[in-house]
Amino acid sequence: MFAQVNGLTTCGIDGVMILVEVDISNGLPNFDLVGLPAMAVRESKERVKAAMRNSDYPFPMTKITVNLAPADLRKEGSGLDLPIAIGLLTCSRLIEASQLDDKVFVGELSLDGRIRKVSGVLSMVMEAKHFGAKEIYIPQENAAEGKLIQGIKVYTASSLKEIVEHLTGKELLKPLPKENILQNKQRIYHVDFADIKGQMVARRALEIAAAGGHSIMMIGSPGCGKTMLARRLVTILPPMTESEALEVTKIYSIVGMLPEADSVMLERPFRSPHHSISGSALLGGGSTPRPGEVTLSHNGVLFLDELPEFERTTLEMLRQPLEDGEVSISRVRAAMTFPSRFILVAAQNPCPCGYLGDSRHVCSCKQRDIDSYRRKISGPLMDRIDMQINLTRVDFSELKDKKPGESSAVIRERVVRARQLQQARLEPWGIHCNAQMGRQEVVKYCQLDEQAQAVMEKYFNILNLSARSHDRILKVARTIADLAGCANIKAAHIAEAVTLRTSNRS
């Protein structure tokens, strides 16, 4: 007896359709599982056997062969337990083979027949819809993810018996109601830009970073507010669109980090890894590549505090994601590409002791120590950071001022207006903000009049800027113009962009 059942697994951050072929033939009792299964998949033999018996279904005591096609793709995870069990029950004629048409099954089986939660269900449902399946059966604990995709019926079950009774018509399950992803769009933050005292240059730079998606470096002595400012950047970013929310939710579902209380990630992620992080944890990796911090920051913010304390080789790995918006990882078993469009916010002290140039403390560092400290961050990496600003110590008069500063909500309104201008302009190119523009878009949308061109030429020659710096200054200037509601880039916009990029130079 032979049966075919559609199952799903994940590869990278995407779902992959797996055809589970089950064959029962005469011979000594034996259970062979082929098709390049990983260890978790191989162990499904024992889980399926116990689950069927404890659900009062007979397990065939004969020769069983299960093939997972395509055979050249390594299968990871435990979500193939359920389709293997359904295939065995079909071969035993407890389920009609015709009942399996256009259906997909995903779930891990416990020994007593219950169906357990698996990671990456959102990606699997999206793949099932793309494949053309009409129905998909997932664990009850993954119901929140199943509600998000339109165009396919999603059923949830808590046990193997529930699915069998549904397929045999004894007790039908109800499909999940679909959920409007953006229906609960209210944003609640526990931090606000109104908490910030002083630091007007940094506030302005972060507003520009949020409006155009630009990376930024903040250099200042300890206690001047670098971390406080960085943590408030997400409060002024525009709300995520439906496609952005699904992208982020899919990533967090794959790595098993989706908050249980939330069915979808509506808030832009903010990631702040420790400086001891390895290169594989930052960019992603492993024998079977998994997303790293740069991918977990996709459509959000990656904050690297004390930047020179990170390993230099780890920092150099940031070049590709900063330039291309994606990470390519190659291994013997697989080569994968993960999205990584994030706003990089880096912070560092001006010297090892932290007080170089401070108005109240004397720097105790020797010049060779300062030079060595600064050399930890390479020129090519710094060249990829759009804005590099100095922060000064906040005066007591600013701290004692009881008047609240401009709130995040007010700043966010200006950011949203600027982003709307960019999206209308850049939509034909498939990008969303000025920082994502390539050379062609820069040439088309960052044209300068004679006065602005003269200012750009002056600074380019005086500061000995690179071609990359030239383009990044134009992108920042385009964002400044958008915030001002100007159709054209003016000389003042160029001057501000140059100042924000080069204010850290001696």
Side-chain angles (χ1 to χ4, degrees):
M1 186 66 183
F2 174 76
Q4 289 183 334
V5 184
N6 292 319
L8 280 160
T9 187
T10 57
C11 182
I13 62 170
D14 298 316
V16 178
M17 189 65 66
I18 301 296
L19 182 62
V20 179
E21 300 174 324
V22 182
D23 178 73
I24 295 179
S25 59
N26 294 329
L28 294 174
N30 189 34
F31 195 153
D32 287 329
L33 185 60
V34 298
L36 209 58
M39 184 57 69
V41 182
R42 288 180 200 159
E43 293 172 348
S44 66
K45 295 187 291 184
E46 302 303 323
R47 290 194 297 270
V48 169
K49 185 185 298 185
M52 289 179 61
R53 286 175 175 170
N54 291 320
S55 299
D56 299 326
Y57 298 120
F59 185 81
M61 298 304 296
T62 182
K63 181 176 174 57
I64 301 170
T65 303
V66 175
N67 179 46
L68 307 176
D72 60 344
L73 175 69
R74 185 174 177 82
K75 286 67 175 189
E76 302 280 348
S78 54
L80 294 172
D81 291 4
L82 183 57
I84 291 173
I86 295 296
L88 288 171
L89 291 170
T90 304
C91 287
S92 301
R93 302 190 178 182
L94 295 174
I95 299 175
E96 292 293 332
S98 59
Q99 292 294 322
L100 305 181
D101 294 340
D102 300 323
K103 294 180 176 64
V104 184
F105 300 87
V106 176
E108 175 188 334
L109 290 176
S110 65
L111 300 184
D112 61 358
R114 287 179 295 151
I115 302 176
R116 287 184 172 148
K117 181 179 180 180
V118 295
S119 299
V121 164
L122 180 59
S123 299
M124 296 180 191
V125 176
M126 295 171 74
E127 175 61 21
K129 176 186 174 182
H130 179 73
F131 180 75
K134 295 180 180 178
E135 299 176 9
I136 182 171
Y137 296 78
I138 63 175
Q140 204 166 59
E141 294 178 77
N142 292 110
E145 297 170 67
K147 293 178 181 179
L148 303 178
I149 305 301
Q150 307 285 340
I152 183 172
K153 288 184 178 180
V154 181
Y155 294 88
T156 62
S158 59
S159 67
L160 176 62
K161 185 177 281 291
E162 284 186 15
I163 290 185
V164 174
E165 290 182 350
H166 170 80
L167 294 175
T168 56
K170 293 180 181 178
E171 189 171 347
L172 297 179
L173 299 171
K174 292 183 179 179
L176 288 175
K178 298 304 176 182
E179 183 178 283
N180 181 0
I181 294 176
L182 303 179
Q183 64 181 356
N184 300 317
K185 206 173 178 178
Q186 186 177 2
R187 310 172 79 189
I188 300 174
Y189 296 107
H190 301 292
V191 294
D192 197 282
F193 261 84
D195 305 330
I196 304 293
K197 301 295 183 181
Q199 302 297 7
M200 299 309 297
V201 173
R203 290 168 64 100
R204 170 66 171 170
L206 287 173
E207 180 180 340
I208 294 169
H214 302 288
S215 54
I216 181 172
M217 162 79 83
M218 295 184 289
I219 303 172
S221 56
C224 66
K226 302 186 294 292
T227 302
M228 191 176 185
L229 284 158
R231 292 190 179 279
R232 282 155 178 76
L233 178 57
V234 290
T235 67
I236 63 173
L237 290 173
M240 283 199 289
T241 62
E242 182 174 327
S243 61
E244 287 177 327
L246 280 176
E247 272 187 317
V248 175
T249 304
K250 182 169 77 167
I251 293 167
Y252 278 73
S253 173
I254 286 289
V255 297
M257 294 176 61
L258 193 64
E260 292 186 5
D262 300 327
S263 60
V264 61
M265 298 279 291
L266 291 177
E267 302 301 334
R268 293 185 181 273
F270 178 89
R271 304 293 299 178
S272 180
H274 191 260
H275 60 74
S276 61
I277 190 171
S278 66
S280 328
L282 183 64
L283 262 73
S287 57
T288 301
R290 290 176 62 82
E293 289 292 335
V294 296
T295 301
L296 293 174
S297 306
H298 183 60
N299 290 331
V301 176
L302 176 64
F303 177 47
L304 301 182
D305 199 7
E306 304 296 343
L307 190 68
E309 301 302 325
F310 287 77
E311 290 289 337
R312 181 171 177 135
T313 53
T314 300
L315 291 179
E316 293 305 303
M317 294 179 182
L318 288 172
R319 292 193 198 179
Q320 184 197 3
L322 284 174
E323 197 74 26
D324 302 333
E326 60 184 23
V327 177
S328 299
I329 300 174
S330 298
R331 294 292 184 271
V332 174
R333 294 174 180 168
M336 297 177 187
T337 299
F338 299 134
S340 60
R341 291 201 179 276
F342 56 88
I343 297 176
L344 173 65
V345 181
Q348 71 168 81
N349 295 326
C351 66
C353 78
Y355 294 110
L356 180 65
D358 190 84
S359 59
R360 298 182 187 175
H361 292 82
V362 177
C363 175
S364 60
C365 302
K366 296 181 180 179
Q367 187 60 44
R368 66 172 180 270
D369 296 329
I370 296 173
D371 294 339
S372 175
Y373 182 76
R374 291 178 174 175
R375 280 197 298 269
K376 290 182 178 180
I377 306 172
S378 69
L381 178 59
M382 288 293 289
D383 207 34
R384 286 169 167 81
I385 299 178
D386 297 337
M387 293 180 285
Q388 303 158 22
I389 62 171
N390 277 330
L391 273 66
T392 56
R393 182 180 294 276
V394 180
D395 293 332
F396 180 74
S397 59
E398 294 173 317
L399 289 174
K400 73 176 184 179
D401 187 4
K402 302 297 183 182
K403 184 180 178 181
E406 196 173 33
S407 69
S408 294
V410 174
I411 300 173
R412 187 166 60 244
E413 287 179 4
R414 296 196 295 266
V415 169
V416 169
R417 286 197 296 269
R419 280 288 182 106
Q420 288 172 346
L421 292 174
Q422 294 167 46
Q423 288 174 355
R425 181 193 309 130
L426 300 172
E427 186 177 7
W429 301 84
I431 53 181
H432 307 290
C433 59
N434 290 332
Q436 299 173 3
M437 289 193 295
R439 181 60 187 160
Q440 287 183 328
E441 295 89 342
V442 169
V443 170
K444 184 172 183 179
Y445 299 118
C446 299
Q447 297 181 4
L448 308 178
D449 58 24
E450 289 186 7
Q451 187 178 6
Q453 188 70 42
V455 172
M456 184 74 242
E457 183 179 359
K458 173 185 174 182
Y459 283 120
F460 185 86
N461 293 327
I462 291 175
L463 297 171
N464 196 24
L465 299 176
S466 66
R468 180 184 287 114
S469 293
H470 173 271
D471 284 359
R472 289 185 180 269
I473 287 172
L474 289 180
K475 293 179 189 180
V476 173
R478 178 68 267 173
T479 300
I480 295 171
D482 289 337
L483 282 168
C486 296
N488 300 316
I489 299 175
K490 300 181 179 179
H493 304 148
I494 292 290
E496 183 178 6
V498 171
T499 302
L500 290 172
R501 183 173 178 84
T502 60
S503 64
N504 70 311
R505 297 192 182 188
S506 302

